[in-house]
Amino acid sequence: DFCLSRGLGDVYKRQVWWFDRLEREHDNLRSVLNWSVASKEAEQRKETALRLAGALVRFWAFRGYVGEGQTWLEQALVNSEGMNPALRANALNGAGWLAFLQSDGERAEMLCEQGLQCYREARKTHKTSSVALSLIWLVWIAMRQDNDNVVHFLLDESRSLARDTGDKRALSYLLHFLAGAAISQDKYAEARSLLEESLALFGAMGDKGGAAWADRLLGFVLFTLHDETHAYALMQESLAISRETHDTPGSAYSLFLLGRFALTQGNATTARALFEESLVLFRAFGDRQPIAHALTRLANIAMQQGDDATARTWYEESLALFQQIDDDKTGQALCLQGWAAMVARQGEARWAARLW
């Protein structure tokens, strides 16, 4: 009702206000969760844990409490079989999202698949459109695993569900993921169209966080299409929104993309500062993959600036992280390539050849 009765500017401010309030009350919420999950007998308490943990997923994800949120969700899900399937589905889906943000793709896939089963069970007795969102997270995981057949099947099913139920939120995220699939196939014009439609939906709903993510990906697409001025403006807007809403992951990704932009413009000093700032934030919520990518780019810059000792430290840490991530061979290859260039310059031909 609040969103319908006021302008979008007020909606945005209200989102920030609520997140800030949750931040102030976080210790109290932790106490309630601890009281709820500690009980092994009272079903009502366990339902409270499921309901509360599922409701806090977005707060945990946006404010950088990814690891803590994952722990609470996993504890709330213990021995929850037979309870309200809609509540279980929400908690499972949220746990899958947070696992994915920590680069634990295998765990994320298992949790999202369980969540999908619960959503389908819930739809038999309750009208819910959340199946579409559950499918979307599975799409993301399938995309990361380069499983195109699964991606297309899930996208078709989730798009149909979102339209049938009139779920604009699910549809806006779906368009975002469809754009990601188009990008993976180098269909940037198609991705641009999808993201612009997604951005319009996010704006109409007053979803500032969603709009920031769409801005960020659209900026990347426009940068690839050589519309650099527009791309840079979108990346800056995304960073501003993320900082305003205290969205730690969003700020980290925006800084990382701005660092890449600065690097292509030949401004290594600015790029290094942006990558270092993004690295601090990435470390705060523990996602290994962007940490590894930021370290590789920092190592490349340090090498170019003649700081080989620092570069080697960053290359070593980056490679160790990439070796823990099965689905990012490209990132691992880029790390090895840069490291090889450095040791070749130092006269270590055999070592460079092995790295290459």
Side-chain angles (χ1 to χ4, degrees):
D1 290 342
F2 178 88
C3 294
L4 292 173
S5 63
R6 291 166 173 77
L8 293 182
D10 287 338
V11 174
Y12 294 162
K13 292 176 183 177
R14 193 68 171 175
Q15 288 177 338
V16 176
W17 184 87
W18 272 109
F19 271 178
D20 287 345
R21 183 173 180 181
L22 288 171
E23 192 82 57
R24 292 193 299 272
E25 297 290 343
H26 204 181
D27 283 342
N28 288 332
L29 294 168
R30 289 178 176 118
S31 296
V32 175
L33 284 167
N34 188 57
W35 170 81
S36 301
V37 300
S39 173
K40 296 182 179 179
E41 298 178 359
E43 184 173 331
Q44 187 175 357
R45 286 195 188 184
K46 293 199 69 67
E47 184 170 308
T48 298
L50 279 176
R51 189 182 299 278
L52 182 56
L56 287 171
V57 170
R58 189 177 175 87
F59 165 71
W60 284 326
F62 276 75
R63 287 297 174 94
Y65 298 102
V66 179
E68 180 182 354
Q70 175 75 11
T71 299
W72 284 122
L73 284 159
E74 297 271 7
Q75 289 182 22
L77 286 164
V78 172
N79 298 323
S80 64
E81 294 81 0
M83 298 183 68
N84 185 318
L87 290 181
R88 289 195 72 237
N90 200 38
L92 284 162
N93 202 38
W97 181 20
L98 298 187
F100 185 82
L101 289 176
Q102 296 173 89
S103 299
D104 191 350
E106 184 176 344
R107 181 67 178 163
E109 182 175 15
M110 183 192 72
L111 289 164
C112 286
E113 285 178 346
Q114 291 178 7
L116 179 58
Q117 292 173 4
C118 286
Y119 278 133
R120 284 177 167 155
E121 181 183 344
R123 278 175 64 85
K124 295 176 183 178
T125 53
H126 302 84
K127 185 177 179 180
T128 174
S129 59
S130 298
V131 175
L133 282 175
S134 184
L135 284 168
I136 287 170
W137 291 118
L138 286 172
V139 169
W140 194 352
I141 294 165
M143 285 171 58
R144 292 284 292 270
Q145 295 173 340
D146 294 324
N147 195 332
D148 290 338
N149 291 332
V150 174
V151 167
H152 290 299
F153 171 77
L154 293 173
L155 285 174
D156 288 342
E157 186 172 349
S158 54
R159 177 162 39 184
S160 176
L161 280 167
R163 285 178 174 166
D164 288 348
T165 58
D167 187 348
K168 291 184 179 179
R169 181 168 177 262
L171 186 58
S172 60
Y173 278 105
L174 172 62
L175 290 165
H176 191 99
F177 284 101
L178 281 167
I183 290 170
S184 68
Q185 298 171 354
D186 297 328
K187 297 178 180 178
Y188 293 103
E190 179 182 339
R192 177 177 183 170
S193 177
L194 290 164
L195 285 167
E196 287 172 344
E197 185 180 352
S198 175
L199 190 57
L201 283 171
F202 280 129
M205 292 184 295
D207 187 341
K208 200 166 189 179
W213 282 95
D215 273 342
R216 195 152 39 247
L217 192 55
L218 182 56
F220 170 77
V221 169
L222 293 177
F223 183 75
T224 307
L225 292 172
H226 306 294
D227 187 354
E228 296 179 357
T229 301
H230 192 189
Y232 184 73
L234 285 171
M235 292 177 194
Q236 288 279 26
E237 181 180 347
S238 176
L239 178 60
I241 292 173
S242 297
R243 282 176 165 165
E244 179 187 348
T245 56
H246 307 289
D247 175 2
T248 302
S251 296
Y253 283 110
S254 295
L255 288 163
F256 180 79
L257 286 174
L258 285 167
R260 290 184 61 179
F261 184 91
L263 203 55
T264 61
Q265 299 297 305
N267 195 336
T269 301
T270 298
R272 181 168 181 168
L274 288 164
F275 286 136
E276 286 177 341
E277 189 175 354
S278 72
L279 181 60
V280 170
L281 297 179
F282 283 136
R283 290 192 192 278
F285 62 92
D287 190 344
R288 292 170 295 175
Q289 190 165 31
I291 291 173
H293 278 283
L295 285 166
T296 291
R297 283 161 177 80
L298 281 168
N300 289 341
I301 294 171
M303 175 186 66
Q304 293 165 11
Q305 294 175 337
D307 188 358
D308 287 357
T310 300
R312 176 170 178 174
T313 298
W314 279 335
Y315 279 132
E316 288 176 344
E317 184 181 356
S318 178
L319 183 60
L321 287 170
F322 276 127
Q323 288 174 337
Q324 298 171 25
I325 306 167
D326 293 333
D327 60 350
D328 196 348
K329 299 301 183 185
T330 300
Q332 187 172 338
L334 288 172
C335 176
L336 289 164
Q337 180 181 338
W339 194 353
M342 182 182 75
V343 298
R345 188 184 62 189
Q346 296 170 340
E348 299 282 354
R350 288 182 180 275
W351 188 11
R354 186 168 70 251
L355 291 170
W356 274 322

